[in-house]
Amino acid sequence: VRRRSHWGWGYEDERPSADELRAAAAGLAAHLGFGSPEPEEPVPLEAVDLPAPRVALPTGLPLSQDPHARALHAHGRSYLDVVRGHRGRFPHAPDAVATPRDEDELRAVLEWAAAADLAVIPAGGGTSVTGGIDALPGAHAGAVTLSLRALDRVLAVDATSRAARIQAGATGPELERQLGEHGLTLRFFPQSFELSTLGGWIATRAAGHFATGPTHVDDLVESIRAITATGDVWESRRLPASGAGPSPDRLLLGSEGTLAVITEAWVRVLPRPSERRGASAAFPTFAGGAAAVRAIVQDGLRPANCRLIDAREAALTFAGDGGSALLVLGFESSGAPVGEQLARACALCEQHGGNVSEGREGAGGSWREAFLRAPYVRDTLVAMGVLSETFESAVTWDRLDTFVDHVVGATRAALGPEVLVTVRLTHAYPDGAAPYFTVVAPVARGDEEERWLAVKRAASEAVLAAGGTITHHHSVGRDHRPEYERQRPAPFAAALRAAKAALDPGSRLNPGVLFEAE
Amino acid sequence: VRRRSHWGWGYEDERPSADELRAAAAGLAAHLGFGSPEPEEPVPLEAVDLPAPRVALPTGLPLSQDPHARALHAHGRSYLDVVRGHRGRFPHAPDAVATPRDEDELRAVLEWAAAADLAVIPAGGGTSVTGGIDALPGAHAGAVTLSLRALDRVLAVDATSRAARIQAGATGPELERQLGEHGLTLRFFPQSFELSTLGGWIATRAAGHFATGPTHVDDLVESIRAITATGDVWESRRLPASGAGPSPDRLLLGSEGTLAVITEAWVRVLPRPSERRGASAAFPTFAGGAAAVRAIVQDGLRPANCRLIDAREAALTFAGDGGSALLVLGFESSGAPVGEQLARACALCEQHGGNVSEGREGAGGSWREAFLRAPYVRDTLVAMGVLSETFESAVTWDRLDTFVDHVVGATRAALGPEVLVTVRLTHAYPDGAAPYFTVVAPVARGDEEERWLAVKRAASEAVLAAGGTITHHHSVGRDHRPEYERQRPAPFAAALRAAKAALDPGSRLNPGVLFEAE
């Protein structure tokens, strides 16, 4: 059995060796101009002093108080989580970790948690970057993390309708391997793909790396099955579309474990694409590239990939010379030709001052691998004394340019002149786009939390003030709750709170997420 | 000021004359083989005996007890509504009709209704075919219909983001005329387009006539503004996309006037399409045509029009010879070329046994005009003693063929051998399609309600049993409530009821819709 790193990204057997880490750190420090080339060692699990469990375990339930399981589930994988884990601090370790193998066991765990007055924290891959799965008890006597990871199977495939019934705890690679046996794929690739799960994606309204089309998991869901805190089954009908009242699925999508525990879903799948065509285009300015992206999506084109990165990010990721913003374009389909569309998109780039290079293996060819490796790099940065954080949002086109300036400015003001701030557009819509900011700055040991909080609040305030959403696909969790409470309509908050009270009368599910803990 | 027909479809000045009606009836009777060629005259408004209003009107509020307004708002425009109106029966006439000109007046009406203990029925174009706006008081002392029709303006246009802020009471033609001044269009064409309103579309999750792509109004909404029963403002942030908690808009979409009164929305608009290409294809069987539709959407093609009508419907609407099912295909865009896509779709039709005719003005050319005139024809059928009803649903591809057989069979069994049942696919998705059934049968005067109820319950039962949704885009209203209650997940019903109680503590908004009246 492969074991996850108790503090950082990924599996222990896939993590870089100490020698590889030193080499990477030296390279990163030279590239950035700051950070220690001698990475600090993480505190080994044996040396970690976990808080004593507040509950005794009953027999006959799939519960564990193993230190590795408790440390692993203490929190997600935000920058601050990784800093804490690296230093051996796990203040929010759950009192137990439950790993039910079926819904009966899941229900039994919920009953036990109610009897023992424990908060229940549903968890998938544990990759939250917003404090979404901290095992906090709220007003309860303790907290149990309810891991869905034992529910990892593709249960049924309907090849005619191109849909599959998949358990909530299946990770990206696990469900892709099983779908692959049927010649199918979900083609949903968030940056956390390696570790995160279908249930987690649904609970957080995750977005994949496709720039347009059905990129939010919301659009891939045909129906959802969940168990409420009181053990009731919530199962929507499997349908391609419906107009029967407000959508039940859309209430669970984004509920972040506060309304019910998602156990499985029917999702829309497809064959591997047979047609793929790509190109890249360099633009003198980011705003010029953004104008081209807008022209492409407003023209009716729907590229699978349409990722615009600014000149600084292009240089940092070795994808450019630092002088131009870079647009990576890709079209694909399961049969219909895409050449006419690619040609049209390239023509629009040229009309907007872009310098086009055709072919998938151009300057943008390596972006996907780098994208999926980024979480490992972040672990290295933490060990080097480098603060590394990302913010993301979405905003209408009319506001985009000032939005980017405003958020970059607020981030710089919060972290000082040494900070590197880069921006990319990850998703494009006819009416707007999703800007994504990466922040890298030197930080002294012990200052991480204060510095992180300063930039988080400054950037979040700027995002709201400039007309964006507090999150396009990272979720609300606990970190974004202040801004989320300002963003959502007050009557909707009242409706959601009432729904929560009806479904979870003990206020047991994930206290402190979306709502103030009661 | 143009006046709406108090009992039938449309405006009085657009209705056929008595001579035109007789000519149409003679033609229809010959074509159908049943129905009286001598249409019965409707009961004129002057002869209608409306129930006496149960409340006295205060001064200073935009309220009316005018008989025309009360009759017009007594119910929607289902077959049964038209039968009742034609015979001069308006048992559910509201005690008053409010037509506020701004949100302050709207709030004042809500306050008055609370003080007078009246149910409030929000209404747009009044075209519900599901009993969604019957002015029923529930447990209250009376009912006031709250017409949004005085709020009919496009308030702002953001040409950069291609979005517009539009008041809820604007009808299709009204908002298109105003958007047209900016060279823009919503391109949302439900069959009720002439009369129905943006707010009504949002409240009922309406679908336009486009077969794929953003065809449900859900996908056109950027943000919604609404007023709750207690006068609070619900306004979501204008965003191209968001992952911040469950979507507030998706709770109002489909709420059918039970949670809040929608007053305006930002919606996604676009220029008139510059590229349009079409074709039609004849298939030996409906199932064969459906297989071609499936191949087209699963190939990644997204035709604006992809309407498959069975041989009988093709003959009835003069679009075919009665021997073949007919697929009408159309592609369009605001710039990107569509020729490659049309060619691919035609090739797929041929692979599935279709006989393709290129060009927009082929056999399918006249369908759109016929589509929008159909409600007027129904009025004539009512006057001829012909029962005319439609059912619609959506179902996954694996179930489609048996679904169609099952629903057609149940409908025939309920109405007997004389009934004509036709089917078309109105919308297509990668994982399923939306079948739409039209039922025409002779009916004796006085038997309409009993016969309609018999076929409604039989067809609805068949829809649920065969795996469909009780409505794809007609809404739940009061007519579909029994099946809707079976279809929705029980915990979701509890959550929705709790949300309703929090937003509308007096249970005043549209009692009996979505929920049992309290």
Side-chain angles (χ1 to χ4, degrees):
Chain A
V1 181
R2 298 167 73 205
R3 210 163 87 137
R4 288 272 300 271
S5 163
H6 72 279
W7 69 273
W9 193 258
Y11 293 93
E12 288 178 348
D13 61 2
E14 293 223 340
R15 294 188 59 83
S17 68
D19 281 351
E20 288 167 336
L21 209 62
R22 263 191 303 274
L28 280 166
H31 193 53
L32 292 173
F34 53 76
S36 165
E38 284 293 326
E40 198 180 330
E41 289 284 323
V43 174
L45 184 59
E46 306 74 58
V48 169
D49 190 21
L50 288 176
R54 288 163 289 200
V55 286
L57 296 194
T59 55
L61 287 180
L63 293 164
S64 166
Q65 290 177 330
D66 168 68
H68 181 266
R70 291 183 63 216
L72 178 60
H73 292 97
H75 47 231
R77 286 298 179 268
S78 74
Y79 165 74
L80 209 55
D81 294 332
V82 175
V83 168
R84 286 177 182 149
H86 188 263
R87 304 277 155 77
R89 287 191 282 122
F90 297 89
H92 308 323
D95 297 292
V97 176
T99 313
R101 285 156 299 188
D102 56 39
E103 287 183 356
D104 286 342
E105 283 195 349
L106 194 158
R107 235 184 240 102
V109 168
L110 289 170
E111 280 170 26
W112 168 70
D117 187 24
L118 302 178
V120 175
I121 320 297
T127 60
S128 171
V129 289
T130 62
I133 52 165
D134 292 11
L136 286 162
H140 303 283
V144 55
T145 293
L146 176 50
S147 169
L148 278 297
R149 287 287 291 114
L151 303 174
D152 61 0
R153 283 178 307 139
V154 172
L155 297 173
V157 166
D158 170 2
T160 306
S161 311
R162 293 197 179 165
R165 181 179 159 213
I166 305 180
Q167 289 184 305
T171 63
E174 286 166 359
L175 64 85
E176 283 296 334
R177 185 183 45 71
Q178 295 172 77
L179 289 172
E181 293 168 11
H182 303 267
L184 295 168
T185 169
L186 184 59
R187 286 191 80 58
F188 185 78
F189 300 115
Q191 195 160 28
S192 58
F193 173 81
E194 180 190 358
L195 304 178
S196 57
T197 62
L198 176 62
W201 301 338
I202 293 171
T204 61
R205 296 177 73 190
H209 76 343
F210 293 123
T212 70
T215 182
H216 279 268
V217 76
D218 312 39
D219 299 314
L220 302 179
V221 167
E222 225 178 38
S223 78
I224 302 175
R225 184 175 164 98
I227 307 292
T228 68
T230 51
D232 296 316
V233 174
W234 169 316
E235 184 165 22
S236 59
R237 190 164 269 236
R238 211 194 128 198
L239 294 168
S242 178
S247 163
D249 295 341
R250 296 278 180 171
L251 191 58
L252 286 182
L253 280 153
S255 60
E256 301 194 14
T258 65
L259 299 184
V261 182
I262 296 164
T263 57
E264 57 184 70
W266 274 95
V267 290
R268 300 177 178 120
V269 297
L270 63 171
R272 292 199 180 282
S274 56
E275 307 296 310
R276 299 172 81 161
R277 296 284 301 276
S280 59
F283 291 87
T285 64
F286 186 77
V293 170
R294 178 162 81 88
I296 288 167
V297 291
Q298 291 190 345
D299 203 57
L301 297 165
R302 294 291 175 266
N305 201 351
C306 187
R307 180 171 291 260
L308 177 70
I309 59 179
D310 71 359
R312 179 159 278 180
E313 182 163 325
L316 271 181
T317 56
F318 306 98
D321 58 10
S324 305
L326 188 70
L327 176 63
V328 184
L329 271 176
F331 287 84
E332 63 175 53
S333 90
S334 307
V338 296
E340 205 175 53
Q341 292 164 56
L342 178 66
R344 172 84 181 173
C346 289
L348 289 169
C349 286
E350 282 170 355
Q351 281 173 33
H352 286 81
N355 183 9
V356 174
S357 312
E358 295 230 15
R360 291 185 56 76
E361 303 307 321
S366 62
W367 81 270
R368 185 161 175 267
E369 197 183 336
F371 173 76
L372 293 174
R373 291 297 296 176
Y376 288 101
V377 175
R378 196 186 49 175
D379 289 358
T380 309
L381 293 173
V382 163
M384 294 167 61
V386 174
L387 186 154
S388 151
E389 178 62 329
T390 57
F391 313 109
E392 39 81 69
S393 184
V395 70
T396 46
W397 287 114
D398 59 318
R399 290 168 164 155
L400 180 69
D401 295 345
T402 53
F403 179 89
V404 168
D405 288 347
H406 196 67
V407 175
V408 169
T411 306
R412 279 194 208 290
L415 284 180
E418 281 180 307
V419 67
L420 291 177
V421 189
T422 67
V423 61
R424 56 188 158 188
L425 297 186
T426 56
H427 301 81
Y429 304 90
D431 57 336
Y436 191 104
F437 303 89
T438 300
V439 174
V440 188
V443 63
R445 179 168 177 151
D447 286 354
E448 293 93 346
E449 185 151 356
E450 189 192 334
R451 296 267 282 167
W452 176 84
L453 261 175
V455 70
K456 189 75 183 170
R457 286 285 85 82
S460 297
E461 179 62 42
V463 161
L464 276 210
T469 172
I470 190 58
T471 178
H472 172 266
H473 62 269
H474 277 178
S475 84
V476 174
R478 290 171 180 84
D479 296 351
H480 291 145
R481 209 185 65 214
E483 291 79 19
Y484 171 64
E485 287 180 352
R486 287 161 58 194
Q487 178 174 328
R488 74 179 162 191
F492 177 66
L496 201 58
R497 202 170 282 118
K500 162 87 174 167
L503 293 168
D504 179 18
S507 212
R508 201 168 297 293
L509 291 178
N510 220 4
V513 168
L514 295 190
F515 311 95
E516 192 108 24
E518 285 169 34
Chain B
V1 181
R2 298 168 73 205
R3 211 163 87 139
R4 288 271 300 270
S5 163
H6 72 279
W7 68 272
W9 193 258
Y11 293 92
E12 288 178 348
D13 61 3
E14 293 224 339
R15 294 189 58 84
S17 68
D19 281 352
E20 288 168 336
L21 209 61
R22 263 192 302 274
L28 280 166
H31 193 52
L32 293 172
F34 53 76
S36 165
E38 284 293 326
E40 196 180 331
E41 290 284 323
V43 174
L45 184 59
E46 305 75 57
V48 169
D49 192 19
L50 289 176
R54 288 162 288 200
V55 286
L57 296 194
T59 56
L61 287 180
L63 293 164
S64 166
Q65 290 177 329
D66 168 69
H68 181 266
R70 291 183 64 215
L72 178 60
H73 292 96
H75 47 231
R77 285 298 179 268
S78 74
Y79 165 74
L80 210 54
D81 295 332
V82 175
V83 168
R84 286 176 182 150
H86 189 263
R87 305 276 155 76
R89 288 191 282 121
F90 298 89
H92 308 321
D95 297 291
V97 175
T99 313
R101 285 157 299 188
D102 56 38
E103 287 184 356
D104 286 342
E105 283 196 349
L106 194 158
R107 233 183 241 103
V109 168
L110 290 170
E111 279 170 27
W112 167 70
D117 187 24
L118 302 178
V120 175
I121 320 297
T127 59
S128 171
V129 290
T130 62
I133 53 165
D134 292 11
L136 286 162
H140 302 282
V144 55
T145 292
L146 176 51
S147 170
L148 277 298
R149 287 286 291 114
L151 303 174
D152 60 1
R153 283 178 308 140
V154 172
L155 297 173
V157 166
D158 170 3
T160 305
S161 312
R162 292 196 179 165
R165 182 179 158 214
I166 306 180
Q167 289 185 306
T171 63
E174 286 165 359
L175 65 84
E176 283 296 334
R177 184 182 47 71
Q178 295 173 77
L179 289 172
E181 293 168 11
H182 303 267
L184 295 167
T185 169
L186 185 59
R187 287 192 78 59
F188 185 79
F189 300 116
Q191 197 161 27
S192 58
F193 174 81
E194 180 190 357
L195 304 178
S196 57
T197 61
L198 176 62
W201 301 338
I202 293 171
T204 60
R205 296 178 72 190
H209 76 344
F210 293 122
T212 70
T215 182
H216 279 269
V217 76
D218 312 39
D219 298 315
L220 302 178
V221 167
E222 224 178 40
S223 77
I224 302 175
R225 183 175 165 98
I227 306 292
T228 69
T230 51
D232 296 316
V233 174
W234 169 317
E235 184 166 21
S236 59
R237 190 165 268 234
R238 211 193 129 198
L239 294 167
S242 178
S247 163
D249 295 341
R250 297 278 181 172
L251 191 58
L252 287 183
L253 280 154
S255 60
E256 301 194 14
T258 65
L259 300 183
V261 182
I262 296 164
T263 56
E264 57 184 70
W266 274 95
V267 291
R268 299 177 178 119
V269 296
L270 63 170
R272 293 199 178 282
S274 56
E275 307 297 310
R276 300 173 82 161
R277 296 284 301 276
S280 59
F283 291 88
T285 64
F286 186 77
V293 171
R294 178 163 81 87
I296 287 167
V297 291
Q298 291 191 345
D299 203 58
L301 297 165
R302 295 290 175 268
N305 200 352
C306 187
R307 180 170 290 260
L308 177 70
I309 59 179
D310 71 359
R312 179 159 279 181
E313 181 162 326
L316 271 182
T317 56
F318 306 98
D321 58 9
S324 306
L326 188 70
L327 176 63
V328 184
L329 271 175
F331 287 84
E332 62 174 53
S333 90
S334 308
V338 296
E340 205 176 52
Q341 293 165 57
L342 178 66
R344 172 84 181 173
C346 289
L348 289 168
C349 285
E350 282 170 355
Q351 280 172 34
H352 286 81
N355 183 9
V356 174
S357 312
E358 295 230 15
R360 291 187 56 76
E361 302 308 319
S366 62
W367 81 270
R368 185 161 176 268
E369 197 183 336
F371 172 77
L372 293 174
R373 290 298 296 176
Y376 288 100
V377 175
R378 196 187 51 176
D379 289 358
T380 308
L381 293 172
V382 163
M384 294 167 60
V386 174
L387 186 154
S388 152
E389 177 61 330
T390 57
F391 312 110
E392 38 81 68
S393 183
V395 69
T396 47
W397 287 114
D398 59 317
R399 290 169 163 154
L400 180 69
D401 294 345
T402 52
F403 180 89
V404 168
D405 289 347
H406 197 67
V407 175
V408 169
T411 306
R412 279 194 209 290
L415 284 180
E418 280 180 306
V419 67
L420 290 176
V421 188
T422 67
V423 62
R424 57 188 157 186
L425 297 186
T426 56
H427 300 82
Y429 304 90
D431 56 336
Y436 191 104
F437 303 89
T438 300
V439 174
V440 187
V443 64
R445 179 168 177 148
D447 285 354
E448 293 94 345
E449 184 151 358
E450 189 192 335
R451 297 267 282 168
W452 176 84
L453 260 175
V455 69
K456 190 76 184 170
R457 285 285 85 81
S460 297
E461 179 63 41
V463 161
L464 277 209
T469 173
I470 190 58
T471 178
H472 172 267
H473 62 269
H474 277 178
S475 85
V476 174
R478 290 172 180 84
D479 296 351
H480 291 145
R481 210 186 65 215
E483 291 79 19
Y484 171 64
E485 287 180 352
R486 288 161 58 194
Q487 178 174 328
R488 74 179 163 191
F492 177 67
L496 202 57
R497 203 170 282 118
K500 161 88 173 167
L503 293 169
D504 178 18
S507 212
R508 201 168 297 293
L509 291 179
N510 221 3
V513 168
L514 295 191
F515 311 96
E516 192 109 25
E518 285 169 34

